[in-house]
Coordinates of all heavy atoms in Angstrom, one line a residue:
E25 N 7.1 -6.4 -7.1 CA 6.4 -7.7 -7.3 C 6.6 -8.6 -6.1 O 7.5 -8.5 -5.3 CB 7.0 -8.3 -8.5 CG 8.5 -8.6 -8.5 CD 9.1 -9.0 -9.8 OE1 8.6 -8.6 -10.9 OE2 10.1 -9.8 -9.7
G26 N 5.6 -9.6 -6.1 CA 5.7 -10.5 -5.0 C 4.5 -10.4 -4.1 O 3.5 -9.8 -4.4
R27 N 4.6 -11.0 -2.9 CA 3.6 -11.1 -1.9 C 3.7 -10.1 -0.8 O 4.8 -9.8 -0.3 CB 3.6 -12.5 -1.3 CG 2.5 -12.8 -0.4 CD 2.6 -14.2 0.2 NE 3.8 -14.3 1.0 CZ 3.9 -15.3 1.9 NH1 3.1 -16.2 2.0 NH2 5.0 -15.2 2.7
I28 N 2.6 -9.4 -0.5 CA 2.6 -8.5 0.6 C 1.7 -9.0 1.7 O 0.5 -9.2 1.3 CB 2.2 -7.1 0.1 CG1 3.1 -6.6 -1.0 CG2 2.2 -6.1 1.3 CD1 2.6 -5.4 -1.7
R29 N 2.2 -9.2 2.9 CA 1.3 -9.7 4.0 C 1.1 -8.5 5.0 O 2.2 -7.9 5.3 CB 1.9 -10.8 4.7 CG 2.0 -12.1 3.7 CD 1.5 -13.4 4.1 NE 1.2 -13.7 5.5 CZ 0.0 -14.0 6.0 NH1 -1.0 -14.1 5.1 NH2 -0.2 -14.3 7.2
H30 N 0.0 -8.3 5.4 CA -0.3 -7.3 6.4 C -1.5 -7.6 7.3 O -2.4 -8.4 6.8 CB -0.4 -6.0 5.7 CG -1.6 -5.9 4.7 ND1 -2.9 -5.7 5.1 CD2 -1.7 -6.2 3.5 CE1 -3.7 -5.7 4.0 NE2 -3.0 -6.1 3.0
P31 N -1.5 -7.1 8.5 CA -2.7 -7.3 9.4 C -3.9 -6.6 8.8 O -3.7 -5.5 8.2 CB -2.3 -6.8 10.7 CG -1.2 -6.0 10.5 CD -0.5 -6.3 9.1
V32 N -5.0 -7.1 9.0 CA -6.3 -6.5 8.5 C -6.7 -5.5 9.5 O -7.1 -5.7 10.7 CB -7.4 -7.5 8.4 CG1 -8.7 -6.9 7.9 CG2 -7.0 -8.7 7.3
F33 N -6.7 -4.2 9.1 CA -7.0 -3.0 9.9 C -6.4 -3.1 11.2 O -6.9 -2.7 12.2 CB -8.6 -2.9 10.1 CG -9.3 -2.7 8.8 CD1 -10.0 -3.7 8.2 CD2 -9.3 -1.5 8.2 CE1 -10.8 -3.5 7.1 CE2 -9.9 -1.3 7.0 CZ -10.7 -2.3 6.4
G34 N -5.0 -3.5 11.1 CA -4.2 -3.4 12.4 C -4.4 -4.6 13.3 O -3.8 -4.7 14.4
N35 N -5.4 -5.5 13.0 CA -5.7 -6.7 13.9 C -4.7 -7.8 13.6 O -4.7 -8.4 12.5 CB -7.1 -7.1 13.6 CG -7.5 -8.3 14.5 OD1 -6.7 -9.0 15.1 ND2 -8.8 -8.6 14.5
C36 N -3.7 -8.0 14.4 CA -2.6 -9.0 14.2 C -3.1 -10.4 14.3 O -2.3 -11.3 14.0 CB -1.5 -8.8 15.3 SG -0.7 -7.2 14.9
K37 N -4.4 -10.6 14.6 CA -4.9 -12.0 14.6 C -5.4 -12.3 13.1 O -5.6 -13.5 12.8 CB -6.1 -12.2 15.5 CG -5.6 -12.1 17.0 CD -6.7 -12.4 17.9 CE -6.3 -12.2 19.4 NZ -7.3 -12.4 20.3
W38 N -5.7 -11.4 12.3 CA -6.2 -11.6 11.0 C -5.2 -11.0 10.0 O -5.0 -9.8 10.0 CB -7.6 -11.0 10.9 CG -8.6 -11.6 11.7 CD1 -8.9 -11.3 13.0 CD2 -9.3 -12.8 11.4 NE1 -9.9 -12.1 13.4 CE2 -10.3 -13.0 12.5 CE3 -9.5 -13.6 10.2 CZ2 -11.1 -14.1 12.4 CZ3 -10.4 -14.6 10.2 CH2 -11.2 -15.0 11.3
W39 N -4.7 -11.8 9.1 CA -3.7 -11.3 8.1 C -4.3 -11.4 6.7 O -5.0 -12.4 6.4 CB -2.4 -12.1 8.2 CG -1.6 -11.5 9.5 CD1 -1.9 -11.8 10.7 CD2 -0.5 -10.7 9.5 NE1 -1.0 -11.3 11.5 CE2 -0.1 -10.5 10.8 CE3 0.2 -10.1 8.4 CZ2 1.0 -9.8 11.1 CZ3 1.3 -9.4 8.8 CH2 1.6 -9.2 10.1
A40 N -3.9 -10.5 5.8 CA -4.3 -10.6 4.4 C -3.0 -10.7 3.6 O -1.9 -10.3 3.9 CB -5.0 -9.4 4.0
T41 N -3.2 -11.3 2.4 CA -2.1 -11.5 1.4 C -2.6 -10.8 0.2 O -3.6 -11.1 -0.3 CB -1.7 -12.9 1.2 OG1 -1.3 -13.6 2.4 CG2 -0.7 -13.1 0.2
Q42 N -1.7 -10.0 -0.3 CA -2.0 -9.3 -1.6 C -0.8 -9.5 -2.5 O 0.4 -9.6 -2.0 CB -2.2 -7.8 -1.4 CG -3.5 -7.5 -0.7 CD -3.6 -6.0 -0.5 OE1 -2.9 -5.4 0.3 NE2 -4.5 -5.4 -1.2
W43 N -1.0 -9.7 -3.8 CA 0.0 -9.9 -4.8 C 0.3 -8.6 -5.6 O -0.7 -8.1 -6.1 CB -0.3 -11.1 -5.7 CG -0.3 -12.4 -4.9 CD1 -1.4 -13.0 -4.4 CD2 0.8 -13.2 -4.6 NE1 -1.1 -14.2 -3.7 CE2 0.3 -14.3 -3.9 CE3 2.2 -13.1 -4.9 CZ2 1.1 -15.3 -3.3 CZ3 3.0 -14.1 -4.4 CH2 2.4 -15.2 -3.7
A44 N 1.5 -8.2 -5.5 CA 1.9 -7.0 -6.2 C 2.4 -7.2 -7.6 O 3.1 -8.2 -7.8 CB 2.9 -6.2 -5.4
Q45 N 2.0 -6.4 -8.5 CA 2.5 -6.5 -9.8 C 2.9 -5.1 -10.3 O 2.2 -4.1 -10.1 CB 1.5 -7.1 -10.8 CG 0.8 -8.4 -10.5 CD -0.1 -9.0 -11.4 OE1 -0.7 -8.1 -12.2 NE2 -0.6 -10.1 -11.2
P46 N 4.0 -5.0 -11.1 CA 4.4 -3.8 -11.6 C 3.3 -3.1 -12.4 O 2.6 -3.7 -13.1 CB 5.7 -4.0 -12.4 CG 6.1 -5.4 -12.0 CD 4.9 -6.0 -11.5
P47 N 3.1 -1.8 -12.4 CA 3.9 -0.7 -11.7 C 3.1 -0.2 -10.6 O 3.0 1.0 -10.4 CB 4.0 0.4 -12.8 CG 2.7 0.3 -13.6 CD 2.3 -1.2 -13.5
W48 N 2.6 -1.0 -9.7 CA 1.7 -0.5 -8.6 C 2.3 0.5 -7.8 O 1.6 1.5 -7.4 CB 1.2 -1.7 -7.8 CG 2.2 -2.3 -6.9 CD1 3.1 -3.2 -7.1 CD2 2.4 -1.9 -5.5 NE1 3.9 -3.4 -6.0 CE2 3.5 -2.6 -5.1 CE3 1.8 -1.0 -4.7 CZ2 4.0 -2.5 -3.7 CZ3 2.4 -0.7 -3.4 CH2 3.4 -1.6 -2.9
W49 N 3.5 0.5 -7.3 CA 4.2 1.4 -6.5 C 4.3 2.8 -7.2 O 3.9 3.8 -6.6 CB 5.4 0.9 -6.0 CG 6.2 1.8 -5.0 CD1 7.2 2.6 -5.3 CD2 5.8 2.0 -3.7 NE1 7.6 3.3 -4.1 CE2 6.8 2.9 -3.1 CE3 4.9 1.5 -2.8 CZ2 6.6 3.4 -1.8 CZ3 4.8 2.0 -1.5 CH2 5.7 2.8 -1.0
D50 N 4.9 2.8 -8.4 CA 5.0 4.1 -9.0 C 3.8 4.8 -9.3 O 3.6 6.0 -9.2 CB 5.8 3.9 -10.4 CG 7.3 3.5 -10.1 OD1 7.8 3.8 -9.1 OD2 7.9 3.0 -11.1
T51 N 2.7 4.0 -9.7 CA 1.4 4.6 -10.0 C 0.8 5.3 -8.8 O 0.3 6.4 -8.8 CB 0.5 3.5 -10.6 OG1 1.1 2.9 -11.7 CG2 -0.9 4.1 -10.9
T52 N 0.8 4.6 -7.7 CA 0.3 5.1 -6.4 C 1.1 6.3 -6.0 O 0.4 7.3 -5.6 CB 0.3 4.0 -5.4 OG1 -0.4 2.8 -5.9 CG2 -0.2 4.5 -4.1
V53 N 2.4 6.3 -6.0 CA 3.2 7.4 -5.5 C 3.0 8.6 -6.4 O 2.8 9.7 -5.9 CB 4.7 7.1 -5.4 CG1 5.6 8.3 -5.2 CG2 4.9 6.1 -4.3
R54 N 2.9 8.4 -7.7 CA 2.8 9.6 -8.6 C 1.4 10.2 -8.3 O 1.2 11.4 -8.3 CB 2.9 9.2 -10.0 CG 4.2 9.2 -10.6 CD 4.3 9.2 -12.1 NE 3.8 7.9 -12.6 CZ 4.4 6.7 -12.8 NH1 5.7 6.8 -12.5 NH2 3.9 5.7 -13.3
R55 N 0.4 9.4 -8.1 CA -1.0 9.8 -8.0 C -1.1 10.6 -6.7 O -1.8 11.7 -6.6 CB -2.0 8.7 -7.9 CG -3.4 9.0 -7.7 CD -4.3 7.8 -7.7 NE -5.7 8.2 -7.4 CZ -6.7 7.4 -7.1 NH1 -6.3 6.0 -7.2 NH2 -7.9 7.8 -6.9
Y56 N -0.4 10.3 -5.6 CA -0.6 10.9 -4.3 C 0.5 11.8 -3.9 O 0.4 12.3 -2.9 CB -0.9 9.9 -3.3 CG -2.2 9.1 -3.4 CD1 -2.3 7.9 -3.9 CD2 -3.4 9.8 -3.0 CE1 -3.5 7.2 -4.1 CE2 -4.6 9.2 -3.2 CZ -4.7 7.9 -3.8 OH -5.9 7.3 -3.9
T57 N 1.5 12.1 -4.8 CA 2.6 12.9 -4.4 C 2.1 14.4 -4.0 O 2.6 14.8 -3.0 CB 3.6 13.0 -5.6 OG1 4.3 11.7 -5.7 CG2 4.7 14.0 -5.3
P58 N 1.2 15.0 -4.7 CA 0.8 16.3 -4.3 C 0.2 16.3 -2.9 O 0.5 17.2 -2.0 CB -0.2 16.8 -5.3 CG 0.2 15.9 -6.6 CD 0.7 14.6 -6.0
R59 N -0.6 15.4 -2.6 CA -1.2 15.2 -1.3 C -0.2 14.9 -0.2 O -0.3 15.6 0.8 CB -2.3 14.1 -1.3 CG -3.0 14.0 0.0 CD -4.0 13.0 0.1 NE -4.6 12.8 1.4 CZ -5.5 11.9 1.7 NH1 -5.9 11.0 0.7 NH2 -5.9 11.8 2.9
M60 N 0.8 14.1 -0.5 CA 1.8 13.8 0.6 C 2.6 15.0 0.8 O 2.9 15.3 2.0 CB 2.7 12.7 0.0 CG 2.0 11.3 0.0 SD 3.1 9.9 -0.4 CE 3.4 10.2 -2.2
Q61 N 2.9 15.8 -0.2 CA 3.7 17.0 -0.1 C 2.9 18.0 0.8 O 3.4 18.7 1.7 CB 4.2 17.7 -1.4 CG 5.1 16.8 -2.1 CD 5.3 17.3 -3.5 OE1 4.5 17.9 -4.1 NE2 6.5 17.1 -4.0
R62 N 1.6 18.2 0.5 CA 0.8 19.1 1.3 C 0.7 18.7 2.8 O 0.8 19.5 3.7 CB -0.6 19.1 0.7 CG -0.8 20.0 -0.5 CD -2.3 20.2 -0.9 NE -3.0 19.1 -0.9 CZ -3.3 18.3 -1.9 NH1 -2.7 18.6 -3.1 NH2 -4.1 17.2 -1.9
E63 N 0.6 17.4 3.0 CA 0.5 16.9 4.4 C 1.8 17.1 5.2 O 1.8 17.5 6.3 CB 0.1 15.4 4.4 CG -1.3 15.2 4.0 CD -2.3 15.9 5.0 OE1 -2.2 15.7 6.2 OE2 -3.2 16.6 4.5
I64 N 2.9 16.9 4.4 CA 4.2 17.1 5.1 C 4.4 18.5 5.5 O 4.8 18.9 6.6 CB 5.4 16.6 4.1 CG1 5.4 15.2 4.0 CG2 6.7 17.2 4.6 CD1 6.3 14.5 2.9
V65 N 4.0 19.5 4.6 CA 4.1 20.9 4.9 C 3.2 21.2 6.1 O 3.6 21.9 7.0 CB 3.7 21.8 3.7 CG1 3.6 23.2 4.0 CG2 4.8 21.6 2.6

């Protein structure tokens, strides 16, 4: 939870703010775990 600040497409002159709410992290990790494992291998 909270605020996530990051540069827009790596451009450090332009920043975006996104607000995180549970369970965004777990949902994303579960969804992409098989792909992440394949890429690591």
Side-chain angles (χ1 to χ4, degrees):
E25 57 189 32
R27 183 178 72 161
I28 300 167
R29 298 231 342 120
H30 59 85
V32 178
F33 295 107
N35 182 344
C36 291
K37 293 182 181 181
W38 295 90
W39 285 74
T41 300
Q42 293 178 287
W43 293 94
Q45 297 176 356
W48 74 273
W49 182 254
D50 288 341
T51 302
T52 302
V53 169
R54 273 195 297 275
R55 179 177 177 191
Y56 291 103
T57 293
R59 180 178 176 185
M60 290 186 285
Q61 289 171 333
R62 286 191 309 270
E63 288 298 311
I64 290 168
V65 168

